[in-house]
Amino acid sequence: MPNAKCQMLNPDPQFDLAIMGAGPAGSSSAITAARMGARVGLFEAKDFPRHRVCGEFVSAESLDVLAALLQDVPAAGTLFQVAPVIDRTRLLLGERVIEAPVAPPALSISRYELDALLWEAARRAGAVAHPNCEVVGSDGDGPFMLQTATGRFKAKALIVAAGRWSQFTADRTIPPGPKWIGLKAHFQEPWTEPCTDLYFFANGYCGVQPVTNGVVNACAMVRSDRATSLEDVFKLQPKMADRAANWRAIMQPVSTAPLIYRQPQPVRGNTIFVGDAAAFIDPFAGDGISIALRSGQVAAQCICKFLMGRTALSEAVTLYQHEYSRQFAPLLSAASRVRSLLSLPPFVQSAVFELFRLPGLLPFVIRKTRRAV
Ligand SMILES: Cc1cc2nc3c(=O)[nH]c(=O)nc-3n(C[C@H](O)[C@H](O)[C@H](O)COP(=O)(O)OP(=O)(O)OC[C@H]3O[C@@H](n4cnc5c(N)ncnc54)[C@H](O)[C@@H]3O)c2cc1C
């Protein structure tokens, strides 16, 4: 994996398409556009591999897309073979437990490996990948001029894939009051089960699932007035505390904040936004990676129509906006309705929890936050 500082790898710093950010969304755009023949510049503020705050639940709807994106990376074959298959979920509130199938099953894939493999696939597809190269500004609305720490790059089209919170986020106001934060670490657990367990407590929850044999990922979303470390999160739920008592951490915890939900904004002028940069879906849905991979792919396909001379840039952007509303906006609306349950008073939350025992209701709610497979 290259570890070079950002540098002008292209003597003529002109690209058909510049992409800011190489998470699942940006890499998916880069692979798709480069395979279609575009000259792609992929700019990433950090480097790989690295841990990300994530439950690492990759829903079934994007596994075919992921396999196709990674087809030229030999190490990806092993990844699919060893990734735990998740075919069940359990919701735990106090002492109560509700179980439901995850059908079709999901995979549990560590972001440490996933993001690095996608980055490698983008390079193999022909994208000029710039690690440690934060984009600090952009001018124009087609063509675009990007400013980075080491130089300026021109591009005919621009995709922002810089995640939930960056200088390109349209609305950077932080609501007053306690913030929602994300926390994650991997732990050794003697007996892992192929199941995603969601431990609920007032103002948050913690998801636990195996990532490899004998190792679980614990990932929490919690209000900062309730807890700011995983150790404190575990104490908020008795069953969680019992289980975590047997764990040994195998990585330094990672955290992220703020987690703010806003209306989707997939385009601004002629700039396209993909993945979390367009909208952040509640982690409960376990669908953020899927939406990132798919929106990245759709955006690249739309932009390539412009690059091939079939449409104007503005038409390509409008086409993407239309596809976003059709494919992704309904999933975000469904997840936001589920999220509102988290802020209910405990006795109402408890009553709603009991409702999920109705046969078929929980699988129905899960399906509403997923694209049909
Ligand atoms: C607590 C929590 C749990 C979650 N659990 C799950 C789960 O189990 N399953 C699931 O599917 N989703 C989950 N998600 C959501 C998932 O992590 C995101 O939806 C996904 O990472 C979005 O991918 P992305 O590529 O849009 O953004 P990111 O993965 O955030 O990537 C953005 C990239 O842009 C880079 N960047 C930022 N600014 C710049 C800049 N100016 N210039 C260059 N590069 C820049 C960043 O370094 C980063 O690499 C969870 C999220 C949270 C917070």
Side-chain angles (χ1 to χ4, degrees):
M1 219 48 45
N3 198 14
K5 283 278 170 212
C6 172
Q7 47 186 284
M8 296 277 237
L9 297 175
N10 190 342
D12 173 15
Q14 299 230 9
F15 294 107
D16 292 325
L17 171 63
I19 300 167
M20 294 181 197
S27 290
S28 170
S29 290
I31 297 163
T32 307
R35 283 185 186 159
M36 291 175 84
R39 292 172 303 153
V40 176
L42 179 60
F43 298 87
E44 167 53 48
K46 304 274 173 48
D47 202 356
F48 300 102
R50 74 184 203 275
H51 286 288
R52 303 297 311 272
V53 175
C54 187
E56 307 188 325
F57 176 99
V58 184
S59 56
E61 77 203 75
S62 65
L63 293 176
D64 56 341
V65 174
L66 183 60
L69 291 170
L70 293 177
Q71 70 192 14
D72 298 327
V73 184
T78 322
L79 179 87
F80 283 108
Q81 278 162 18
V82 301
V85 176
I86 305 292
D87 59 10
R88 276 182 301 139
T89 183
R90 284 185 296 225
L91 310 189
L92 300 99
L93 183 71
E95 290 297 316
R96 288 170 297 165
V97 184
I98 299 176
E99 187 167 327
V102 175
L107 287 185
S108 178
I109 304 180
S110 160
R111 291 290 297 273
Y112 189 85
E113 289 168 73
L114 179 68
D115 290 22
L117 288 172
L118 285 165
W119 172 258
E120 177 60 18
R123 282 167 26 88
R124 284 177 185 246
V128 181
H130 300 257
N132 298 310
C133 195
E134 183 178 8
V135 180
V136 292
S138 97
D139 292 324
D141 198 32
F144 301 85
M145 185 63 80
L146 264 56
Q147 291 104 46
T148 73
T150 56
R152 285 158 64 82
F153 297 84
K154 195 173 174 189
K156 293 178 191 164
L158 176 63
I159 291 179
V160 176
R164 218 180 53 243
W165 190 254
S166 77
Q167 62 268 57
F168 302 99
T169 304
D171 178 2
R172 283 172 57 92
T173 48
I174 300 182
K179 314 278 175 283
W180 286 94
I181 57 175
L183 301 160
K184 167 239 176 113
H186 289 174
F187 298 86
Q188 275 182 344
E189 183 180 67
W191 304 278
T192 51
E193 285 187 74
C195 183
T196 297
D197 291 333
L198 294 168
Y199 295 85
F200 287 90
F201 44 84
N203 296 314
Y205 59 87
C206 182
V208 180
Q209 68 181 36
V211 268
T212 57
N213 216 357
V215 175
V216 289
N217 177 27
C219 182
M221 192 181 114
V222 61
R223 241 175 51 182
S224 56
D225 56 343
R226 298 283 287 149
T228 52
S229 70
L230 278 176
E231 287 66 32
D232 289 342
V233 165
F234 298 160
K235 290 177 200 151
L236 296 173
Q237 218 282 1
K239 281 189 174 292
M240 170 98 257
D242 285 352
R243 183 170 176 182
N246 298 315
W247 289 351
R248 195 171 67 79
I250 57 165
M251 60 170 269
Q252 287 297 318
V254 284
S255 63
T256 185
L259 306 181
I260 300 174
Y261 303 93
R262 303 192 196 282
Q263 286 300 313
Q265 198 189 38
V267 307
R268 210 187 311 158
N270 280 331
T271 301
I272 282 182
F273 290 72
V274 293
D276 281 8
F280 176 50
I281 188 165
D282 192 295
F284 174 89
D287 217 27
I289 298 169
S290 281
I291 293 177
L293 293 171
R294 287 184 177 271
S295 61
Q297 191 177 47
V298 171
Q301 287 161 348
C302 293
I303 287 294
C304 283
K305 287 190 196 298
F306 155 66
L307 295 173
M308 289 169 184
R310 295 191 192 150
T311 62
L313 177 59
S314 58
E315 286 167 333
V317 171
T318 304
L319 180 62
Y320 171 71
Q321 187 168 26
H322 174 76
E323 283 304 312
Y324 193 94
S325 307
R326 195 176 66 80
Q327 297 190 37
F328 309 113
L331 310 179
L332 290 149
S333 308
S336 81
R337 284 194 287 276
V338 176
R339 179 176 64 246
S340 57
L341 302 179
L342 278 182
S343 302
L344 294 173
F347 71 97
V348 186
Q349 213 178 40
S350 179
V352 172
F353 188 85
E354 284 306 313
L355 276 181
F356 280 126
R357 290 193 195 281
L358 289 174
L361 183 59
L362 185 55
F364 172 78
V365 170
I366 296 172
R367 266 200 316 278
K368 292 300 272 183
T369 62
R370 300 275 190 285
R371 203 166 161 272
V373 208

